[in-house]
Amino acid sequence: MFGIKGLLTNVLTGASATTSALMIVVAYSDRINPVDHPLLACLGMTMPFVIIANLVLLVAWLFIKWRRSWIPLVGLLLSYGAIRTYFPLHGAGKAPEGCIKVISYNVCGYAGNKDNPACLDSICNYLKSQNADIVCLQEDGAPDREKINSLFPYNDTLRIVYGEGAVNILGFHSRFPILKREKIDIPSQTNGSVAYYLRIGRQTVLVINNHLESFHLSPEERQGYNDVLNGNVDGGKAELKTRSLVKKVSEGKARRAPQADAIHRYIEAHRKYPIIVCGDFNDTPISYTRHTIAQGLIDCFAETGTGTGVSYNQKGFRFRIDYILCSDDFKPFRCVVDDNTHSSDHYPIVAQLQLDGFFNKRYLKK
């Protein structure tokens, strides 16, 4: 009997050591360039599963043999930075008066969803209710441009034309004057990145709106993935569908890597300005894309948010892929993913930023 117990303990020890090591590898997988190692770069997508596995083993050891609880604990502690990025836990602190309110929102071409097909009005009403200072929109193919432009004194769009009649639009709306616009040269025919220079108080502030390459999954591939998750596919077909999905995901990550590199270079070349970076990165918090763009910047949700911050809300693909980042010229407050509005396949992400030397008197009006 003792032999069996000892064997089980050794097996559990081996499983704990493996899971703890995997936790560390996954936590630092965002340093792996997908162009060189596309499959390894996908490890970050397993982050919630390895966190749960290590927590389960930690609790198990506390009841079975508490002295060995150090094994999963080491993995969790060495991965603390990545865990905090993926699943921050902050209180709902109050933003001080005078903050700049920023929204980033992929509006899905105002095509809506099954619950809200007529969504131009609802998105306009939402933005009006938020009373934001800066709004970065992706897939901003508004059927009535004046309706949304009327909400802000300064507006601009970047049209990316590809294929026959296909257009992707990045929209920018601001209460601050736009001094100039620069398109950032990223390797993509369908997506884009654009920098705006704003006059805020006496300072010139750089705001970058991004929409990076998607995984280009067809509706059939998405449904196939959901079928695999729900166990509706037999073993052989499930393996084929999983292999196909992993291939598509790794290819998407490899396409985004040079885009992230280009945006990072632009940010580094313009460090003299206070910087805000917004957009749909189409990648998770533990990814080369997010890690590269966020270098030297503050991830506002990781710094002030709570939970996973799921921003892409389609069934089976629930991840945080929308971001607001800022340079240390700003102090972020109350960054949230607003899941109370259902007008797109994304939720908007909202942050309040306090800029050194700027006080917005608009917030003092009664």
Side-chain angles (χ1 to χ4, degrees), residues 179-235:
L179 302 178
K180 68 173 181 176
R181 179 187 87 175
E182 284 185 351
K183 183 181 178 183
I184 300 175
D185 186 19
I186 66 172
S188 177
Q189 291 184 325
T190 60
N191 295 79
S193 180
V194 58
Y196 290 93
Y197 293 78
L198 306 182
R199 175 63 68 190
I200 301 181
R202 296 181 178 180
Q203 301 191 60
T204 299
V205 174
L206 173 59
V207 183
I208 303 175
N209 186 13
N210 304 279
H211 185 202
L212 303 190
E213 204 86 17
S214 74
F215 290 116
H216 297 300
L217 296 175
S218 68
E220 293 76 18
E221 287 170 324
R222 293 176 188 274
Q223 185 57 50
Y225 172 65
N226 286 325
D227 290 341
V228 171
L229 285 181
N230 296 324
N232 297 329
V233 184
D234 61 44

Side-chain angles (χ1 to χ4, degrees), residues 135-178:
V135 175
C136 293
L137 301 179
Q138 302 85 43
E139 298 188 34
D140 183 22
D144 184 350
R145 178 64 53 194
E146 285 306 311
K147 185 169 286 190
I148 193 164
N149 284 356
S150 66
L151 302 176
F152 299 89
Y154 305 98
N155 306 277
D156 191 67
T157 56
L158 175 69
R159 293 171 58 87
I160 304 159
V161 181
Y162 61 97
E164 188 173 342
V167 178
N168 189 1
I169 297 176
L170 289 172
F172 187 80
H173 309 278
S174 171
R175 298 193 188 282
F176 304 110
I178 299 172

Side-chain angles (χ1 to χ4, degrees), residues 36-343:
D36 302 322
H37 305 285
L39 290 178
L40 288 177
C42 295
L43 285 174
M45 299 183 73
T46 68
M47 188 69 175
F49 304 106
V50 292
I51 292 174
I52 292 170
N54 276 274
L55 289 174
V56 168
L57 287 166
L58 175 62
V59 173
W61 280 125
L62 291 175
F63 285 98
I64 297 170
K65 201 169 188 176
W66 69 268
R67 286 186 177 86
R68 296 199 182 182
S69 61
W70 68 268
I71 302 173
L73 190 59
V74 164
L76 292 166
L77 289 176
L78 291 179
S79 307
Y80 172 74
I83 294 170
R84 180 179 175 273
T85 296
Y86 199 98
F87 196 94
L89 292 172
H90 300 282
K94 184 179 179 181
E97 292 179 332
C99 284
I100 298 165
K101 193 171 189 179
V102 181
I103 295 178
S104 181
Y105 193 6
N106 184 322
V107 294
C108 194
Y110 301 90
N113 54 43
K114 61 180 173 41
D115 299 319
N116 188 11
C119 67
L120 175 60
D121 287 341
S122 63
I123 288 175
C124 287
N125 291 336
Y126 172 78
L127 293 177
K128 185 176 181 179
S129 71
Q130 289 296 304
N131 201 24
D133 297 292
I134 298 170
V135 175
C136 293
L137 301 179
Q138 302 85 43
E139 298 188 34
D140 183 22
D144 184 350
R145 178 64 53 194
E146 285 306 311
K147 185 169 286 190
I148 193 164
N149 284 356
S150 66
L151 302 176
F152 299 89
Y154 305 98
N155 306 277
D156 191 67
T157 56
L158 175 69
R159 293 171 58 87
I160 304 159
V161 181
Y162 61 97
E164 188 173 342
V167 178
N168 189 1
I169 297 176
L170 289 172
F172 187 80
H173 309 278
S174 171
R175 298 193 188 282
F176 304 110
I178 299 172
L179 302 178
K180 68 173 181 176
R181 179 187 87 175
E182 284 185 351
K183 183 181 178 183
I184 300 175
D185 186 19
I186 66 172
S188 177
Q189 291 184 325
T190 60
N191 295 79
S193 180
V194 58
Y196 290 93
Y197 293 78
L198 306 182
R199 175 63 68 190
I200 301 181
R202 296 181 178 180
Q203 301 191 60
T204 299
V205 174
L206 173 59
V207 183
I208 303 175
N209 186 13
N210 304 279
H211 185 202
L212 303 190
E213 204 86 17
S214 74
F215 290 116
H216 297 300
L217 296 175
S218 68
E220 293 76 18
E221 287 170 324
R222 293 176 188 274
Q223 185 57 50
Y225 172 65
N226 286 325
D227 290 341
V228 171
L229 285 181
N230 296 324
N232 297 329
V233 184
D234 61 44
K237 288 184 179 180
E239 183 179 353
L240 288 174
K241 287 181 180 293
T242 301
R243 285 177 181 271
S244 175
L245 178 68
V246 171
K247 183 174 183 293
K248 272 288 187 80
V249 168
S250 60
E251 288 173 349
K253 285 180 172 290
R255 283 192 296 268
R256 281 190 296 276
Q259 299 173 2
D261 290 337
I263 295 164
H264 174 65
R265 287 193 297 270
Y266 189 91
I267 292 169
E268 289 300 303
H270 297 83
R271 281 285 184 180
K272 66 180 181 180
Y273 300 106
I275 298 173
I276 302 170
V277 180
C278 297
D280 174 6
F281 292 3
N282 265 311
D283 226 328
T284 62
I286 310 302
S287 64
Y288 181 86
T289 299
R290 181 261 172 204
H291 172 74
T292 299
I293 297 175
Q295 286 183 74
L297 300 175
I298 301 168
D299 182 329
C300 296
F301 186 83
E303 189 72 16
T304 69
T306 299
T308 56
V310 168
S311 63
Y312 185 69
N313 57 46
Q314 294 303 285
K315 186 177 180 181
F317 290 86
R318 297 177 60 80
F319 299 105
R320 175 161 72 101
I321 63 174
D322 298 88
Y323 299 87
I324 297 175
L325 315 171
C326 65
S327 62
D328 59 10
D329 304 276
F330 297 91
K331 182 175 177 56
F333 293 91
R334 287 186 56 79
C335 185
V336 298
V337 174
D338 192 347
D339 57 4
N340 293 312
T341 181
H342 303 277
S343 301

